[in-house]
């Protein structure tokens, strides 16, 4: 069982180099519990003793098998997010624990940078001062295709009434102000330019 857990510890640690320390504790030997330490960030070594969580599991088989995302710290003070997974044998006794220690000190500056990057001024938050887009052919196609998809069909397969409603909506939304839009709408709907003009001019 521990041999299989060892494979997991090594694989997970190597998936997050420099970021997540993975430790396999053999709780049958608490004074020398660390069996594997992959991606070592805490400075511990194989043969070091069990942590407090390990000792609690040894003392109490009913102790939670998974303690997830709890705050922790490396010996040098770096903040850590840890998860500890207890492993029981067939008799329900804890024999091992797999612990993951994520070094969040490297992530916190990035999180702050991203937060500052996407932040907006409080004075204008939630207020659309301008629309940074152009009514290009791609957007027109997206609107038409979405309209058709909402009706479980394709633009060319829309009913005459649906095409008329779509064209009137496009006209209301200003798509006709773009050069070449009339022909683009006609091509998307499989009708003539004259039909598009006719639909747009018809009263609601």
């Amino acid at each position: 069982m521990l041999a299989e857990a060892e494979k997991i510890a090594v694989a997970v640690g190597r998936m997050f180099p420099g970021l997540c320390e993975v430790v396999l504790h053999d709780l049958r030997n608490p004074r020398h519990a660390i069996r594997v330490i992959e991606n070592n960030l805490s400075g511990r070594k194989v043969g070091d003793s069990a942590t407090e969580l390990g000792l609690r599991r040894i003392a109490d088989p009913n102790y939670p098998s998974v303690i997830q995302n709890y705050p922790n710290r490396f010996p040098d003070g770096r903040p850590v997010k840890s998860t500890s997974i207890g492993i029981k044998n067939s008799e329900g006794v804890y024999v091992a624990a797999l612990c993951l220690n994520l070094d969040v000190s490297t992530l916190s500056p990035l999180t702050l940078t991203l937060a500052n990057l996407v932040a907006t001024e409080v004075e204008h938050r939630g207020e659309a001062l301008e629309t940074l887009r152009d009514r290009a052919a791609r957007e027109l196609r997206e609107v038409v295709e979405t309209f058709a998809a909402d009706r479980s069909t394709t633009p060319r397969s829309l009913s005459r009434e649906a095409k008329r409603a779509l064209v009137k909506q496009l006209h209301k939304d200003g798509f006709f102000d773009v050069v070449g839009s009339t022909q683009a709408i006609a091509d998307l709907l499989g009708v003539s330019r004259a039909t598009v003009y006719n639909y747009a001019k018809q009263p609601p």
Side-chain angles (χ1 to χ4, degrees):
M1 181 187 300
L2 266 66
E4 295 302 309
E6 184 174 336
K7 296 177 185 177
I8 297 173
V10 172
V12 173
R14 291 181 180 177
M15 188 173 181
F16 302 100
L19 188 61
C20 184
E21 175 185 83
V22 184
V23 185
L24 178 63
H25 297 268
D26 185 347
L27 299 183
R28 299 170 303 177
N29 186 12
R31 299 182 72 175
H32 304 284
I34 294 183
R35 175 166 173 158
V36 172
I37 182 164
E38 186 66 31
N39 199 21
N40 193 331
L41 299 175
S42 64
R44 293 174 292 174
K45 61 183 183 297
V46 172
D48 280 357
S49 60
T51 64
E52 294 85 349
L53 273 181
L55 296 177
R56 290 170 190 163
R57 287 196 172 107
I58 293 172
D60 182 8
N62 295 318
Y63 195 82
S65 58
V66 178
I67 307 294
Q68 192 160 20
N69 296 335
Y70 60 92
N72 210 338
R73 284 193 178 274
F74 287 132
D76 61 5
R78 283 174 295 163
V80 180
K81 183 170 77 171
S82 297
T83 291
S84 177
I85 305 167
I87 301 172
K88 293 181 177 181
N89 61 15
S90 59
E91 298 175 352
V93 176
Y94 282 115
V95 295
L98 185 65
C99 300
L100 291 77
N101 301 310
L102 183 68
D103 183 359
V104 296
S105 68
T106 59
L107 300 178
S108 297
L110 176 60
T111 301
L112 179 60
T113 299
L114 291 175
N116 289 334
L117 185 63
V118 301
T120 56
E121 294 295 330
V122 175
E123 179 183 356
H124 303 298
R125 192 166 295 164
E127 178 184 355
L129 300 180
E130 60 181 342
T131 301
L132 301 179
R133 64 177 184 180
D134 59 356
R135 293 290 176 82
R138 181 175 63 182
E139 184 181 356
L140 175 60
R141 177 180 291 276
E142 288 176 354
V143 172
V144 171
E145 290 181 346
T146 298
F147 182 93
D150 288 342
R151 290 156 180 77
S152 301
T153 187
T154 63
R156 287 175 173 255
S157 298
L158 287 166
S159 66
R160 181 179 301 176
E161 292 75 15
K163 289 180 179 179
R164 182 183 297 112
L166 173 58
V167 169
K168 294 186 73 63
Q169 186 61 47
L170 293 173
H171 186 269
K172 178 181 177 181
D173 291 344
F175 281 96
F176 279 69
D177 297 337
V178 180
V179 176
S181 61
T182 305
Q183 185 61 56
I185 295 170
D187 293 341
L188 287 168
L189 298 181
V191 298
S192 66
R193 289 181 62 187
T195 299
V196 172
Y197 278 122
N198 184 42
Y199 285 163
K201 293 178 180 178
Q202 287 182 2

